[in-house]
Amino acid sequence: FLSDARFKARLPHSIAIENWRYHPGDSLAWAAPTFDDQPWEVTYASFTKRQKPESMWRGIGWFRARLVVDSSLWGVPLGYTIVHGGACEVYLDGNLLCASGRVATADSVEQSFVERNPRTLVFPRHREHVVAIRYSCTSTDDITSLGGDAGLRFFLTGDLNQSIQRR
């Protein structure tokens, strides 16, 4: 992961987290940083008509990314945004950071909501972290058939105050 100086040098551009580990289905145990996700498929979290996880998308699933964070970023309030077509919950090291909408397996229960404002992310004082995203999008086929992106994209946007000002 980028050091503070390199990270700030990339601003005003954000950094997209890619190469997520993905598994269809739903279990809150998958938020735990100690959970073994090595057997999971490595994929992009962005779905298009031609690009979906090989292990199938069934309307709900989890994405996990392991990050090695430079000590200069520990305890520093950073901004992040998540763009998606459904509902999600974002966890850092097993702790819920935010919920955007209501995650569900049924269209009648799922509530889609996208927060466009940057959210706060503060990495605790250790090198390795896990970002886990519980995601549902029950209308994936409808969105992708129209040429849309039904998956999600997660961006670290740097200094929180600068992220808010750019928004």
Side-chain angles (χ1 to χ4, degrees):
F1 195 62
L2 299 176
S3 70
D4 191 39
R6 287 183 55 209
F7 189 67
K8 287 183 179 179
R10 298 248 339 229
L11 295 175
H13 305 290
S14 58
I15 297 172
I17 304 299
E18 297 178 342
N19 296 322
W20 294 88
R21 292 201 176 271
Y22 163 76
H23 195 286
D26 191 28
S27 172
L28 289 178
W30 298 344
T34 55
F35 179 80
D36 181 13
D37 59 17
Q38 291 302 308
W40 289 17
E41 173 185 355
V42 176
T43 187
Y44 291 99
S46 178
F47 304 162
T48 63
K49 192 172 187 175
R50 292 182 206 100
Q51 176 186 311
K52 290 183 187 172
E54 290 178 18
S55 53
M56 301 303 292
W57 176 250
R58 298 182 187 119
I60 192 166
W62 282 73
F63 295 88
R64 292 171 50 95
R66 296 183 181 276
L67 306 177
V68 176
V69 178
D70 188 86
S71 63
S72 65
L73 293 173
W74 297 350
V76 175
L78 301 173
Y80 77 93
T81 57
I82 184 165
V83 179
H84 58 83
C88 72
E89 296 171 354
V90 178
Y91 295 82
L92 176 64
D93 300 331
N95 299 306
L96 180 64
L97 290 181
C98 76
S100 181
R102 181 186 298 160
V103 177
T105 57
D107 188 45
S108 60
V109 179
E110 180 185 79
Q111 292 179 353
S112 297
F113 178 77
V114 177
E115 173 62 64
R116 299 289 184 207
N117 293 313
R119 303 263 188 159
T120 305
L121 174 66
V122 179
F123 289 110
R125 299 188 176 279
H126 56 274
R127 287 182 43 85
E128 295 185 18
H129 299 276
V130 174
V131 173
I133 300 176
R134 179 181 183 224
Y135 178 63
S136 69
C137 185
T138 56
S139 58
T140 300
D141 291 338
D142 294 336
I143 294 170
T144 57
S145 70
L146 296 171
D149 182 341
L152 62 90
R153 289 174 286 154
F154 183 91
F155 301 94
L156 286 173
T157 57
D159 177 82
L160 180 60
N161 289 327
Q162 289 178 7
S163 298
I164 291 169
Q165 288 174 351
R166 281 194 306 272
R167 169 62 177 114

